[in-house]
Amino acid sequence: MDYYSGQINKLIEALGSLPGIGAKTAQRLAFHIVNMPEEDVKRLASAMTEAKSGVRYCKCCCTLTDDELCPICKSPARDKKTIMVVENSRDLAAYEKTGKYNGVYHVLHGAISPMLGISPADLKIKELLERLKDDVNEIIIATNSSIEGEATAMYLSKLIKPIGIKTTRIASGVPVGGDLEYIDEVTLLRALDGRTEL
Amino acid sequence: MDYYSGQINKLIEALGSLPGIGAKTAQRLAFHIVNMPEEDVKRLASAMTEAKSGVRYCKCCCTLTDDELCPICKSPARDKKTIMVVENSRDLAAYEKTGKYNGVYHVLHGAISPMLGISPADLKIKELLERLKDDVNEIIIATNSSIEGEATAMYLSKLIKPIGIKTTRIASGVPVGGDLEYIDEVTLLRALDGRTEL
């Protein structure tokens, strides 16, 4: 690609290393950035370095935050006795957007995956068990409905149930608005298994 | 979105202002960046600011480059008497990738668009006319096949033809591998108009 300048090539390469950004998108973004006002470029670049250096794990729930404690753990309005365990901060955000969950969270930062070499020790499980020493009513396991998420849910339930704390798993089934015709068989069977009385 | 830290929100917002990056992608990228090694984040951020501050227009063809002249204008192997006029540096790159074009380029940095308020004076047309004072055999107009690209091509041909330089336009028609069934009528008629003898 010697028809571009070296600096543009470097930028294209750096952008292309981000997830979901292919060669074409990286190229388009690079040219957009070069044509952006200088202060906007500086703002974007410093947002990156500042977020990287400034953000840390919440001391309680391990989500990403600026402070020692995240806004949710700090809030006196939240029910600290109900803990929803999620894989990452984006999943936490997804449940927060529903506006209906009033408990707190625990972010594992991943799921058990022998394929990717992620063992339970790599997740924030030790921190979760530490929290269970306080008075906790229920642990809601909301890891993804993938093989890794299910494996993590199984692992956690085997760990937590013996302590005597109620451990639940979010339901798996046909998504709202989903057409049965287009749903895979595993999900259909899961929906059947999880049927509730009307 | 007060369930994220302020710095992450700032980063999501800055990334979301890039073209083609929606709210979900910005969120995914922001979390990826926060989890990247610190030196990678710094490299990405500095690639942006350096590309912005270091890149300038080639003195001859107006493409984006680090030096006074771009590698193509500098090359003694290129035919300086054939100039292909393109809308932007990405279009130049697209033709360079074919590896078959041996002439040089002229980058307009846009196309005439009354809708977007882009007039001929906003494009690098003055610089193109300046180049025509040297010995030039042919001007190949390779602006896009959009309304703006066609308007720009018309405008340029009216400007250049009176000077007595051969002015050509790249062909418009059915793309290679294209199925007639799925091609719009305007393109089909364009392909018919541009038919050549076998």
Side-chain angles (χ1 to χ4, degrees):
Chain A
M1 289 215 292
D2 58 353
Y3 33 87
Y4 287 147
S5 83
Q7 281 166 330
I8 289 191
N9 276 337
K10 236 188 261 174
L11 179 55
I12 292 175
E13 204 185 293
L15 289 168
S17 69
L18 294 173
I21 307 282
K24 285 261 170 185
T25 311
Q27 188 180 298
R28 197 163 40 87
L29 288 175
F31 280 105
H32 178 85
I33 286 166
V34 168
N35 288 319
M36 263 161 66
E38 185 135 15
E39 60 267 39
D40 286 3
V41 177
K42 280 189 183 149
R43 199 167 52 87
L44 177 59
S46 66
M48 283 180 184
T49 48
E50 276 166 27
K52 176 62 198 170
S53 62
V55 170
R56 48 184 156 165
Y57 294 141
C58 168
K59 224 178 71 177
C60 180
C61 77
C62 301
T63 191
L64 295 166
T65 183
D66 297 341
D67 280 329
E68 201 156 306
L69 282 176
C70 75
I72 296 168
C73 287
K74 251 190 257 175
S75 164
R78 307 293 292 237
D79 169 17
K80 303 283 193 302
K81 294 185 176 176
T82 307
I83 300 175
M84 181 186 280
V85 180
V86 291
E87 287 186 23
N88 55 50
S89 299
R90 274 161 297 162
D91 297 343
L92 178 158
Y95 257 103
E96 277 302 284
K97 273 176 201 152
T98 68
K100 298 288 184 197
Y101 177 67
N102 195 39
V104 290
Y105 296 89
H106 191 83
V107 181
L108 294 176
H109 290 281
I112 297 166
S113 168
M115 284 270 287
L116 297 172
I118 301 171
S119 74
D122 297 321
L123 307 177
K124 303 285 178 195
I125 293 177
K126 209 176 68 222
E127 289 81 352
L128 175 61
L129 296 178
E130 198 60 38
R131 290 176 76 181
L132 301 186
K133 288 178 183 164
D134 299 334
D135 188 14
V136 173
N137 284 341
E138 185 178 352
I139 298 287
I140 303 166
I141 302 176
T143 50
N144 287 335
S145 189
S146 59
I147 296 173
E148 293 80 14
E150 295 291 353
T152 311
M154 286 288 275
Y155 180 88
L156 287 178
S157 78
K158 277 189 182 156
L159 219 59
I160 300 166
K161 262 184 169 170
I163 307 175
I165 298 171
K166 186 180 169 192
T167 310
T168 56
R169 176 89 175 103
I170 54 165
S172 180
V174 180
V176 176
D179 191 328
L180 290 197
E181 192 181 341
Y182 300 112
I183 308 270
D184 64 288
E185 295 95 62
V186 184
T187 304
L188 288 177
L189 289 176
R190 197 69 78 76
L192 186 65
D193 283 344
R195 67 189 179 278
T196 52
E197 219 166 309
L198 292 175
Chain B
M1 288 215 294
D2 58 353
Y3 33 86
Y4 286 148
S5 83
Q7 281 167 332
I8 289 191
N9 276 338
K10 236 187 262 174
L11 179 56
I12 291 175
E13 205 186 291
L15 288 168
S17 69
L18 294 173
I21 307 280
K24 284 260 170 187
T25 311
Q27 188 179 299
R28 196 162 43 85
L29 288 176
F31 281 105
H32 178 85
I33 286 166
V34 168
N35 288 318
M36 262 161 66
E38 184 134 16
E39 61 267 39
D40 286 2
V41 177
K42 281 191 182 147
R43 199 167 53 87
L44 177 59
S46 66
M48 285 181 183
T49 48
E50 277 166 26
K52 176 64 199 169
S53 62
V55 169
R56 48 182 157 166
Y57 293 141
C58 168
K59 224 178 69 177
C60 179
C61 76
C62 301
T63 192
L64 296 166
T65 182
D66 298 341
D67 279 328
E68 201 155 307
L69 283 175
C70 75
I72 296 168
C73 287
K74 251 189 257 174
S75 164
R78 308 293 291 238
D79 169 18
K80 303 283 192 300
K81 294 187 177 177
T82 307
I83 300 176
M84 180 185 281
V85 180
V86 290
E87 289 186 21
N88 54 51
S89 299
R90 274 162 296 163
D91 297 344
L92 178 158
Y95 257 104
E96 276 302 283
K97 273 176 200 150
T98 67
K100 298 288 183 196
Y101 176 68
N102 196 39
V104 290
Y105 296 89
H106 189 84
V107 181
L108 295 175
H109 290 282
I112 297 167
S113 168
M115 284 272 286
L116 296 172
I118 300 170
S119 75
D122 297 321
L123 307 178
K124 303 285 179 195
I125 293 177
K126 209 175 68 222
E127 289 82 353
L128 175 62
L129 295 178
E130 198 59 37
R131 290 176 75 182
L132 301 187
K133 288 178 184 165
D134 299 333
D135 187 14
V136 173
N137 285 340
E138 185 178 353
I139 297 288
I140 303 166
I141 303 177
T143 51
N144 288 335
S145 191
S146 59
I147 296 173
E148 292 81 12
E150 294 291 355
T152 311
M154 285 289 276
Y155 180 88
L156 287 178
S157 78
K158 277 189 185 157
L159 218 60
I160 299 167
K161 262 183 168 173
I163 307 175
I165 298 171
K166 185 179 169 190
T167 311
T168 56
R169 176 91 175 101
I170 54 164
S172 180
V174 180
V176 176
D179 192 327
L180 289 197
E181 192 182 339
Y182 301 111
I183 308 271
D184 63 290
E185 296 96 61
V186 183
T187 303
L188 288 178
L189 289 177
R190 197 69 79 75
L192 186 65
D193 283 344
R195 66 190 179 278
T196 52
E197 218 166 309
L198 294 175

